[in-house]
Amino acid sequence: MKEEDGGLRVQSPGVGWSSVNKALNNIPNTSLTEKLGKVSRLDDSDKSIINDFFRNRIKMNSGTDLIISGKKAENAFVLIEGWAYRYKILANGRRQIISYLLPGDICDIYAFVLRKMDHSIGLLTDATIGIASVSDLWTMLWSSRNIGQAFFRSTIIDECVIREHVVRVGRRNALQRLSHLLCELWVRLKQVNLVKNDSVYFPINQDHLADALGLTSVHLNRTLQVLRSNDCLSLSGKTLRIYDWEKLQEIAEFDASYLSIDEMPQYAGG
Amino acid sequence: MKEEDGGLRVQSPGVGWSSVNKALNNIPNTSLTEKLGKVSRLDDSDKSIINDFFRNRIKMNSGTDLIISGKKAENAFVLIEGWAYRYKILANGRRQIISYLLPGDICDIYAFVLRKMDHSIGLLTDATIGIASVSDLWTMLWSSRNIGQAFFRSTIIDECVIREHVVRVGRRNALQRLSHLLCELWVRLKQVNLVKNDSVYFPINQDHLADALGLTSVHLNRTLQVLRSNDCLSLSGKTLRIYDWEKLQEIAEFDASYLSIDEMPQYAGG
DNA sequence: CGATAGTTTGATATCCTTCAAAACCTGTGG
DNA sequence: CCACAGGTTTTGAAGGATATCAAACTATCG
């Protein structure tokens, strides 16, 4: 985190996913191989192939777009550090946020398979991006079974999250939508050790939440107040605190099994 | 279609996607390799590996579930013939349909990567299913670069469709949701040559459409009447006719580029 | 020709949006 | 340390889109 020049204003500096490293082999994990290693066994050679492939790093500022819808995809990107979100803009200017990319999430494996991007990716914080040429991507993916499996699985897990988002937006009311999304983000942030006691750094504002949930920001604000007045949580100053996880889960009818990253068949299937 | 004992009550028998075969090589395409061949070049050997892998066929009836949420995924399935839909059911009994699987679509590549299914798949028509053991799946996928690429790309295209569905349900009104979904299905059905002049066999009823779009069937019915009275289309007796494609597209603000299957980089990336 | 599933209609309730303004933060510069 | 600017959150009042409930109507199939 140091040699990359910091810049990310995380609330409690020094505590991040990189502290989760377990060093299954000799080569220490980066945030990228850490995440991929959870879905497929990666040996030293795999790790160095992956890290080497994305060795070029760029820094981008909060509020800018990493990927712009409609543009040709010439580069492969990976989010090394920072928060981001996928979105589309409609003709009338409305925005729909499709999913969030949290620190430690890899970013855009499937992006490069398409000739041009069908959605944009915006940054919620300053971020560090690993960048590589699309033309070599498939060769990298194919360099070992473990690597292919890791990226394939990772892509599929992303899709599970999007599917649940369809359900959330399609068949839940405002209160459930919001509480359900917060439950999901909470669990995902816990997975990468970003939750400290009952609080996390949370750079998603009410406008964004509304656009993710298919609501107006006015109504989102009022819905949030319901959760606050039920003593479930607080959200202000880019800090989310959850006081009553049980109650929140109950309101949301949240069942984390669709996120079952820990339940991966132990490197099976090969 | 014949040696498989028919059974599918398509409206105009004899015309199906199998007539689209272009026989790029010597081995004629099945509906499965036809579809996969659109996203990655498949030679004779690839085709026979794929077809052989899914050689075991079963028939299932309309209204039954091919895959049930929560169940362990022991088999890999492919939809050879018929219509299906992915869905989830909430605690309160509400259903959200996440996506449709049309004839010629492959079915569930990513399903097997997860230990247990996070959603169900129901059949809208009688169907023919190709079935195989999950444990051999990865070996099959890895038997050639083309095969791996074909399944990976196919998975990703499915995901593009789901992403657009999030936008549809999250940020469009009832009229746009319905017209947009119908536009998408129309284009996808055209791609597999199921549209004859201005009509298609269309086994999705109003209840299903409502559950896909996050609406009640009552409201869906009224919305459909708007499209009818605008002389855009007719929908009855499992036949959808589109009279005014231009107007429908306009109402929907539909832009098919997210379906860009024909725009695949010509077998690039490896 | 009767049973069953799917479609249509009407009346009423509610959730969410819209619009507009005020209040509140947060960082910046004098 | 205060003032100011810009973004974000909060509030109010009123309107509109969609839900709910219940019943009638219409296809379809054995």
Side-chain angles (χ1 to χ4, degrees), chain B residues 237-251:
Chain B
K238 302 202 175 182
T239 297
L240 170 66
R241 265 177 237 281
I242 293 194
Y243 301 128
D244 196 335
W245 172 246
E246 289 302 322
K247 197 192 283 180
L248 187 66
Q249 246 182 322
E250 215 168 285
I251 291 171

Side-chain angles (χ1 to χ4, degrees), chain B residues 163-182:
Chain B
R163 271 198 295 264
E164 188 64 35
H165 197 47
V166 172
V167 179
R168 191 151 51 206
V169 173
R171 280 288 179 234
R172 305 184 112 105
N173 64 24
L175 186 61
Q176 285 195 316
R177 282 185 215 181
L178 175 58
S179 50
H180 196 277
L181 176 59
L182 293 176

Side-chain angles (χ1 to χ4, degrees), chain B residues 205-207 218 221-222 225 228:
Chain B
N205 69 25
Q206 293 184 19
D207 265 322
V218 170
N221 179 277
R222 287 172 175 139
Q225 289 173 46
R228 286 204 190 100

Side-chain angles (χ1 to χ4, degrees), chain A residues 85-106:
Chain A
Y85 60 102
R86 295 178 201 285
Y87 70 97
K88 293 197 183 195
I89 302 274
L90 295 186
N92 55 22
R94 291 183 162 191
R95 175 177 66 174
Q96 175 66 45
I97 291 175
I98 295 155
S99 58
Y100 288 103
L101 299 154
L102 310 186
D105 283 354
I106 63 169

